[in-house]
Amino acid sequence: MKSFKQVWWPALTTLSLAMAVGSAQAQATESVESVRQTTLNLIEALVQNGVLTREKADALIKEAQAKAQAQKAEPAQAAASDAEVGKPVIRVPYIPESVRNQIRDQVKEEVVAQAQAERWGVPNAAGAWTNRIKIDGDFRFRYQTDRQSKSNTPGATYLGAEVANNNGLSRAPDFAAYNSNLFATASTQADRSRERVRLRLNVTGKVTDEVGVGVRLATGSATDRVSTNQTLGNSFNKYQLFVDRAFMRMEVADAVTIHAGRIPNPWFSTEMVWSENLNFDGLSASFHLPTPPIGFQPFATVGWFPLREQTPPTRGQRALMGAQIGAAWDAASRARFKFGLAYYSYKNLAGQEDTNYSLDTSSNVVPDLKYGEYEYPAGMRQKGNTVFETNPLFRQDIAPIWGLAYQFRPLVLTASAELTHFSPYSLLLSAEYVKNMAFNVNNFHQRAGAAYAGINPGGKDKGYQFKLAFGAPEVREEGDWQLSTTYRYIGSDAVLDAFTDSDLGLGGTNLQGYILGGSYGLYRNTTLGARYLSAKTIDTPLNASYSDAKYKVNTLQVDLNVRF
């Protein structure tokens, strides 16, 4: 015998739920007839399952019908009562709940979409255009001390060689600086300590998926292309910011990217050839496979970069042309390699005998408008390249003008490897070799004129560098660290000294030496680093008549760097 709870409680619960469902459906999209039929079906199912007797079922149906008739009569009675007292009868069309929900959801979706697009309610929200603009940069505070060897050839010797016109050759003509009293002022033996800052601010804009622009402002000097340092100690005067980059980027196709303007270094290289602070004026195009083989990505880059515009009456435009091919290769899950072969060529840069002058009645030299067009200017050169006086016959009357003894067409092979077998640490290796394919003494004699007949300017046309680093691939997070060591041998005329590293040996070529460095992450994007650089000259920094001349300098740099 089943108890009351076992029989009637489930029955009543089921029936109540059925009637509630029926009532809700009636208020939504179902018609009254559909609800009535659904309720009758549920009651019949309860009878067949033995939960209700036929008598109970009939009683429930009659009771429900009576309540429905009473509810239906109430609005009619209220309307009749209102009509009797003269009140207007307002008829409101019935909108099913499901239709109201559908309208609500559609409006909600539209409002949410608009709110997301316009960033309603987001603190400090800006317009949608700001999503296409990115701003970042870095700030560095550096302490630097330079210890020049006391055995270095003094500046007075360089000045004396220039006055004596001994061979008319040099590899460090700026060491012959002097004041109005003709006393040497170049510093080749004195120590120097200074504090320096560097600020770089990048702004990049995404015009479309294919087109973008970039601008970078930086401290530094308008005439120093390989350094963005600002030395402190100018009596609290303000600093200048220069346009360090200003370029556009265009994805012409899936496999071609073009940069135009003052662009970042487009070459895969090390600082032996191109300083990390150097940016290029001109145009470059990079090519890669849109769907390369897995783990192998070949690339090619070409570029044209004017160095001096062609403005009469001077000779033709000076320019740099370059091309590089290479590939990145994931040889294994823990080994990545990259290599590149580049060829660069400088146009109209080599020196030449300057005959752009005339003599007056007293045999004094009178320069014409083209005089000095073959100069390798002081504002461009660092030191190391072999230079000669393009006006040796009349240098007593006019200040010497230095021109490059050799042409420059360097062939450069660069390779790097990243090995992650020591995870979470990485072993980073890089190597670079360069040879100046235009190094030719006979060509020098053809350009330099009779004054240099039989004189060998000397110099070396090769260079190489090896670097090893261990630790985090890039020190970014708190606790990251990296240690590195570098050895460099760069012959006097292997590359143009104007664009190479400005730190080792205080810049330029004709140097051999090493760099020891380390950096540690104090906080995220905040690092403390130190480098010790030691270098000395390979060949005499003067000429064969001063074969014992030498220059050596040790440098310590301590950097606190913050990226944002």
Side-chain angles (χ1 to χ4, degrees):
M1 185 72 181
K2 294 182 179 180
S3 66
F4 173 83
K5 284 187 176 182
Q6 291 175 324
V7 176
W8 289 107
W9 181 256
L12 293 174
T13 303
T14 303
L15 182 60
S16 299
L17 289 174
M19 294 179 71
V21 171
S23 176
Q25 288 176 332
Q27 293 175 1
T29 59
E30 297 292 334
S31 66
V32 175
E33 180 60 26
S34 176
V35 174
R36 190 178 74 82
Q37 190 61 44
T38 301
T39 305
L40 292 175
N41 291 339
L42 288 172
I43 294 175
E44 184 63 24
L46 293 173
V47 172
Q48 292 178 0
N49 290 329
V51 177
L52 289 176
T53 63
R54 173 58 62 184
E55 292 76 14
K56 287 287 185 183
D58 292 337
L60 287 172
I61 293 173
K62 288 181 180 180
E63 182 181 357
Q65 289 174 343
K67 287 183 178 180
Q69 289 295 331
Q71 292 174 353
K72 187 175 181 180
E74 289 177 0
Q77 293 173 357
S81 175
D82 291 340
E84 289 175 358
V85 297
K87 295 181 179 180
V89 178
I90 301 175
R91 300 184 181 277
V92 180
Y94 173 71
I95 301 177
E97 183 70 18
S98 61
V99 176
R100 294 200 299 271
N101 291 341
Q102 184 178 4
I103 295 174
R104 180 197 63 195
D105 293 341
Q106 289 178 349
V107 173
K108 180 180 177 181
E109 290 177 1
E110 293 176 1
V111 173
V112 169
Q114 184 177 359
Q116 290 177 342
E118 299 180 4
R119 304 178 69 185
W120 296 355
V122 179
N124 302 318
W129 64 269
T130 59
N131 295 327
R132 302 192 301 269
I133 302 297
K134 178 183 178 183
I135 300 176
D136 60 11
D138 65 272
F139 174 83
R140 183 180 70 193
F141 182 87
R142 166 177 288 179
Y143 169 76
Q144 178 171 330
T145 178
D146 305 314
R147 297 290 184 260
Q148 300 183 108
S149 174
K150 305 306 179 186
S151 62
N152 287 345
T153 302
T157 303
Y158 292 87
L159 179 58
E162 181 178 308
V163 172
N165 191 24
N166 200 305
N167 284 348
L169 298 168
S170 181
R171 294 192 180 92
D174 298 322
F175 281 166
Y178 57 91
N179 59 20
S180 58
N181 295 319
L182 299 182
F183 287 108
T185 58
S187 174
T188 61
Q189 295 178 338
D191 296 338
R192 183 183 185 185
S193 297
R194 47 190 161 160
E195 292 76 29
R196 318 181 84 180
V197 297
R198 180 187 71 181
L199 172 65
R200 299 185 296 190
L201 181 64
N202 303 292
V203 180
T204 55
K206 182 179 179 182
V207 181
T208 66
D209 289 339
E210 298 80 19
V211 180
V213 295
V215 176
R216 185 167 85 174
L217 303 179
T219 51
S221 167
T223 58
D224 189 347
R225 66 208 50 79
V226 292
S227 175
T228 50
N229 290 313
Q230 171 67 56
T231 300
L232 306 184
N234 61 350
S235 301
F236 296 164
N237 285 321
K238 302 177 182 66
Y239 304 143
Q240 290 180 297
L241 280 177
F242 297 92
V243 178
D244 195 35
R245 290 177 184 170
F247 64 93
M248 63 156 290
R249 173 196 56 80
M250 181 180 297
E251 301 286 344
V252 179
D254 291 341
V256 183
T257 303
I258 293 177
H259 287 80
R262 183 166 174 80
I263 69 175
N265 184 355
W267 315 109
F268 170 52
S269 61
T270 74
E271 280 200 301
M272 184 179 71
V273 179
W274 308 115
S275 168
E276 70 168 350
N277 296 301
L278 181 67
N279 295 291
F280 290 71
D281 298 342
L283 181 72
S284 74
S286 299
F287 307 86
H288 59 273
L289 295 179
T291 55
I294 297 178
F296 188 79
Q297 175 64 69
F299 65 88
T301 303
V302 295
W304 166 267
F305 308 100
L307 301 175
R308 185 184 68 184
E309 64 176 326
Q310 183 174 357
T311 54
T314 60
R315 66 173 175 170
Q317 181 184 41
R318 288 183 172 181
L320 164 66
M321 298 163 284
Q324 184 179 54
I325 58 173
W329 177 35
D330 293 343
S333 60
R334 294 184 175 274
R336 300 181 181 89
F337 301 93
K338 188 174 183 179
F339 60 88
L341 179 65
Y343 181 75
Y344 308 107
S345 178
Y346 291 92
K347 178 183 177 183
N348 292 329
L349 197 60
Q352 184 173 320
E353 181 185 13
D354 197 337
T355 59
N356 297 310
Y357 62 88
S358 60
L359 300 177
D360 63 14
T361 56
S362 300
S363 298
N364 295 317
V365 176
V366 180
D368 66 17
L369 293 177
K370 291 185 178 181
Y371 190 80
E373 64 176 333
Y374 307 115
E375 182 181 16
Y376 183 38
M380 183 176 180
R381 64 182 181 244
Q382 294 194 75
K383 63 180 184 298
N385 288 161
T386 305
V387 294
F388 71 102
E389 294 183 27
T390 63
N391 57 345
L393 299 180
F394 303 100
R395 61 170 313 283
Q396 301 295 339
D397 301 317
I398 300 176
I401 294 179
W402 299 98
L404 287 166
Y406 297 105
Q407 295 179 329
F408 285 87
R409 290 195 293 273
L411 181 69
V412 186
L413 177 62
T414 309
S416 68
E418 179 179 356
L419 308 177
T420 59
H421 299 75
F422 314 96
S423 182
Y425 307 116
S426 296
L427 179 63
L428 309 173
L429 306 169
S430 68
E432 191 164 63
Y433 174 82
V434 58
K435 177 178 173 60
N436 181 9
M437 307 301 291
F439 187 92
N440 188 294
V441 176
N442 292 331
N443 179 265
F444 162 75
H445 289 145
Q446 293 172 7
R447 290 180 287 102
Y452 294 93
I455 296 178
N456 188 343
K460 289 182 171 56
D461 62 348
K462 299 180 182 64
Y464 53 87
Q465 174 176 295
F466 301 100
K467 181 177 180 179
L468 181 151
F470 184 77
E474 186 177 12
V475 179
R476 281 279 192 174
E477 303 295 333
E478 179 180 353
D480 285 353
W481 58 269
Q482 186 189 92
L483 299 175
S484 65
T485 180
T486 304
Y487 179 79
R488 181 184 303 162
Y489 178 101
I490 182 69
S492 59
D493 301 286
V495 299
L496 193 69
D497 65 21
F499 303 137
T500 188
D501 175 34
S502 63
D503 289 328
L504 183 66
L506 298 183
T509 61
N510 190 35
L511 293 169
Q512 59 178 333
Y514 61 89
I515 305 172
L516 301 176
S519 59
Y520 179 79
L522 299 177
Y523 309 99
R524 190 172 189 274
N525 290 328
T526 303
T527 60
L528 179 66
R531 295 200 307 169
Y532 181 78
L533 308 91
S534 179
K536 62 181 180 180
T537 51
I538 300 171
D539 294 320
T540 171
L542 262 169
N543 53 55
S545 298
Y546 297 86
S547 58
D548 293 334
K550 57 185 177 181
Y551 180 75
K552 179 179 180 180
V553 60
N554 298 326
T555 299
L556 174 65
Q557 297 173 340
V558 180
D559 297 336
L560 180 62
N561 193 79
V562 178
R563 299 175 181 176
F564 56 88

